[in-house]
């Protein structure tokens, strides 16, 4: 079947699904459904009380095949916005970070490189690119230090360490070898390998997210409750041990890598870290566990509190006990922190950015978007009918979410088996446009407001 015919079939399927009206929010089962209802402007609110029971459906293995983009294909954006291909030919582009001068730093995780893309403010495409650093071990998270207009370092998170390179505004290539800031993030390797990092607004704390080594700590020995409580006291509430020590956590360090500690525990895979530009609150977008069914548990975005425990592996989405670890940690019941915004299960959120462009940005979105968050959903595999493969908007009021999210950039799914894009990184360009990387076909998309 040709790509034009596939697209026609896919859009014909979409057309028979009734999306939410402009003033309507999908809730209950409708909010948890699959990609067929995806469309810019569709809003969802998944509540904890609407979650199905464990194993209400079989656990599926349904990965997507990444097809070449159909001719003239463009993602779908809301009315008044336009989308263009900003860069192409990249090797699995993942995290995006903006330098103060507008340069775009791109982590090509599989290739072990970090590239720099340069384009004038308002430009629809890149005119120059260079390899800033190569020979890295799975680079993912990046952050400039100190925060502000004149950073002197760029920090890069690898599989199990954090490096930093000397940096001056406008550098397209590293001027020398890196320094090791954190030599070892966790005692074990394997499992989730993406590590994101961010600095607090005052630059005094480096946050690093480290995903779990497993699905639900299958290889972690059970520990008697009194001994587990002693472990918590020495580490952090709900902190895991054995091969999961310092895993499924957000860690905190001084900028030089000293005074490492568990900032928050029980977050299975905080693939994307963010710090709100006004409140300074730390945010995670999290891939939850697999194997409990199509709609369980939801992935999520949440504010992360110092010392809080978010459930993994013994609980999920609040005080719901993991049935495969029943009775293992009764002492933690009632001590979990429930996440703020629940996504369709298995959507695989990977990146988060807050919409905070410079004053006077030429491509700025309407004022109603200021302070909101954008989250990339890489797409499901542990689900019979796929979810994700899109970018969603989280409305925030004074930095606080209301549990809703809204489809913003969609259209990457061709049919039940094929997709042509898998969003990963998201960043706000200096001109106010939104940049989105997708690692399926190696492109970065640029979304700007065109009026109306």
């Amino acid at each position: 079947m040709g790509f034009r015919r596939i697209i026609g079939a896919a859009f014909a399927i979409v057309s028979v699904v009734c999306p939410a009206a402009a003033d309507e929010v999908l809730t209950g089962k409708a909010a948890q459904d699959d990609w067929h209802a995806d469309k810019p402007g569709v809003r969802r609110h998944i509540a904890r009380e609407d979650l199905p029971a464990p194993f209400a459906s079989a656990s599926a293995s349904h990965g997507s095949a990444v097809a070449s983009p159909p001719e003239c294909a463009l993602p779908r954006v809301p009315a008044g916005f336009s989308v263009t291909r900003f860069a192409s030919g990249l090797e699995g582009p993942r995290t995006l970070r903006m330098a103060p001068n507008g340069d775009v730093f791109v982590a090509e995780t599989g290739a072990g490189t970090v590239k720099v893309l340069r384009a004038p403010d308002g430009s629809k495409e890149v005119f120059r690119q260079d390899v800033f650093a190569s020979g890295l071990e799975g680079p993912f998270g990046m952050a400039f230090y100190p925060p502000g207009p004149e950073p002197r370092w760029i920090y890069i998170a690898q599989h199990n360490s954090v490096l930093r390179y000397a940096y001056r505004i406008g550098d397209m290539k590293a001027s020398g070898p890196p320094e090791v800031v954190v030599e070892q993030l966790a005692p074990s390797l394997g499992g989730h390998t993406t590590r994101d990092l961010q600095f607090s607004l005052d630059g005094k704390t480096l946050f690093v997210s480290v995903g779990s080594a497993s699905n639900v700590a299958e290889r972690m020995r059970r520990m008697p409750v009194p001994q587990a409580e002693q472990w918590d006291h020495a580490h952090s509430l709900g902190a895991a041990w054995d091969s999961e020590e310092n895993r499924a956590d957000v860690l905190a360090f001084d900028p030089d890598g000293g005074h490492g500690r568990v900032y928050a525990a029980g977050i299975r895979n905080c693939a994307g870290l963010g710090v709100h530009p006004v409140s300074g609150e730390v945010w995670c977008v999290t891939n939850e566990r697999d194997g409990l069914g199509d709609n369980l548990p939801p992935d999520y975005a949440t504010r992360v509190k110092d010392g809080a425990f978010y459930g993994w592996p013994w609980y999920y989405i609040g005080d719901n006990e993991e049935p495969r670890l029943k009775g293992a940690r009764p002492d933690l019941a009632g001590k979990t922190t429930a996440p703020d915004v629940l996504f369709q299960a298995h959507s695989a959120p990977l990146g988060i950015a807050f919409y905070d462009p410079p004053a006077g940005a030429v491509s700025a979105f309407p004022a109603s978007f200021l302070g909101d968050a954008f989250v990339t959903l890489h797409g499901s595999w542990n689900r019979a009918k796929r979810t994700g493969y899109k970018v969603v908007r989280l409305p925030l009021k004074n930095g606080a979410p209301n549990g809703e999210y809204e489809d913003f950039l969609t259209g990457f799914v061709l049919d039940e088996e094929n997709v042509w894009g898998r969003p990963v990184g998201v960043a706000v360009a200096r001109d106010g446009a939104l940049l989105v990387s997708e690692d399926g076909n190696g492109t970065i998309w640029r979304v700007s407001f065109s009026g109306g």
Side-chain angles (χ1 to χ4, degrees):
M1 182 182 290
F3 283 124
R4 292 179 184 273
R5 189 174 172 189
I6 290 173
I7 285 183
F11 284 171
I13 295 172
V14 170
S15 67
V16 301
V17 177
C18 296
D23 58 349
E24 181 185 354
V25 180
L26 296 176
T27 60
K29 186 179 183 302
Q32 301 174 58
D33 270 345
D34 57 51
W35 68 276
H36 289 100
D38 290 353
K39 181 181 179 181
V42 171
R43 288 183 290 159
R44 294 175 174 82
H45 189 161
I46 299 173
R48 284 184 283 163
E49 56 267 26
D50 294 331
L51 300 185
F55 313 117
S57 59
S59 180
S61 181
H62 185 207
S64 61
V66 179
S68 298
E71 184 181 355
C72 301
L74 289 174
R76 304 168 72 186
V77 291
F81 291 83
S82 60
V83 58
T84 57
R85 186 181 282 104
F86 183 70
S88 58
L90 299 168
E91 191 169 348
R94 308 209 89 191
T95 307
L96 305 177
R97 293 288 190 265
M98 301 300 305
N101 70 330
D103 286 345
V104 186
F105 278 66
V106 185
E108 294 179 318
T109 303
T113 59
V114 170
K115 284 184 177 174
V116 186
L117 312 181
R118 180 166 290 171
D121 290 351
S123 175
K124 294 183 178 180
E125 60 184 0
V126 170
F127 81 92
R128 178 185 172 187
Q129 64 174 274
D130 282 296
V131 175
F132 182 83
S134 60
L136 301 169
E137 297 179 359
F140 191 78
M142 300 170 286
F144 294 94
Y145 178 81
E150 294 291 336
R152 292 292 177 262
W153 303 93
I154 180 170
Y155 284 61
I156 298 175
Q158 301 192 111
H159 282 165
N160 204 31
S161 63
V162 177
L163 310 175
R164 69 178 183 181
Y165 289 86
Y167 174 77
R168 294 294 184 272
I169 293 294
D171 285 355
M172 299 286 286
K173 292 180 179 294
S175 58
E179 293 183 10
V180 177
V181 178
V182 181
E183 186 173 4
Q184 179 180 279
L185 291 167
S188 67
L189 297 173
H192 298 107
T193 59
T194 53
R195 309 284 179 258
D196 204 1
L197 49 80
Q198 292 280 353
F199 279 98
S200 59
L201 295 184
D202 62 9
K204 294 180 178 179
T205 305
L206 170 65
F207 299 103
V208 185
S209 61
V210 182
S212 69
S214 63
N215 184 34
V216 283
E218 295 89 345
R219 295 181 298 276
M220 190 174 77
R221 61 189 166 89
R222 290 208 176 189
M223 191 181 286
V225 168
Q227 187 179 349
E229 289 178 325
Q230 291 177 1
W231 178 270
D232 287 358
H233 182 73
H235 296 82
S236 184
L237 181 66
W241 53 83
D242 290 345
S243 61
E244 300 291 355
E245 183 178 351
N246 280 6
R247 306 292 296 261
D249 295 333
V250 174
L251 307 178
F253 301 89
D254 293 342
D256 63 1
H259 296 98
R261 66 184 180 92
V262 176
Y263 181 79
I267 307 173
R268 179 176 176 265
N269 185 22
C270 174
L273 265 178
V275 172
H276 192 275
V278 177
S279 70
E281 290 181 304
V282 180
W283 280 71
C284 271
V285 292
T286 301
N287 291 219
E288 252 293 356
R289 67 205 73 195
D290 300 317
L292 292 180
D294 277 357
N295 290 319
L296 201 71
D299 292 333
Y300 61 81
T302 192
R303 293 167 290 184
V304 179
K305 302 174 183 178
D306 193 355
F309 169 58
Y310 290 83
W312 189 90
W314 301 284
Y315 296 85
Y316 62 88
I317 315 298
D319 284 329
N320 296 290
E321 189 174 25
E322 165 60 60
R324 292 163 290 191
L325 298 173
K326 191 171 180 62
R329 289 298 303 270
D331 57 302
L332 291 174
K335 298 179 181 179
T336 61
T337 299
D340 289 312
V341 182
L342 306 184
F343 300 128
Q344 291 151 289
H346 312 301
S347 292
L350 291 188
I352 182 171
F354 298 98
Y355 195 73
D356 183 36
V362 296
S363 303
F365 292 5
S368 59
F369 285 78
L370 292 176
D372 288 352
F374 288 95
V375 175
T376 57
L377 304 181
H378 194 234
S380 63
W381 70 267
N382 186 221
R383 205 172 191 280
K385 292 188 177 180
R386 63 186 77 264
T387 55
Y389 307 93
K390 60 185 177 181
V391 179
V392 298
R393 171 193 177 195
L394 277 56
L396 304 181
K397 185 175 182 180
N398 298 322
N402 62 6
E404 296 179 9
Y405 66 99
E406 178 181 296
D407 289 353
F408 182 76
L409 183 77
T410 68
F412 289 112
V413 181
L414 290 171
D415 56 27
E416 295 294 351
E417 304 300 328
N418 301 282
V419 302
W420 62 275
R422 304 194 68 180
V424 182
V426 60
V428 179
R430 196 171 66 166
D431 67 353
L434 192 73
L435 301 180
V436 177
S437 69
E438 67 81 20
D439 60 4
N441 278 293
T443 56
I444 298 176
W445 295 93
R446 177 182 183 272
V447 183
S448 59
F449 184 65
S450 51

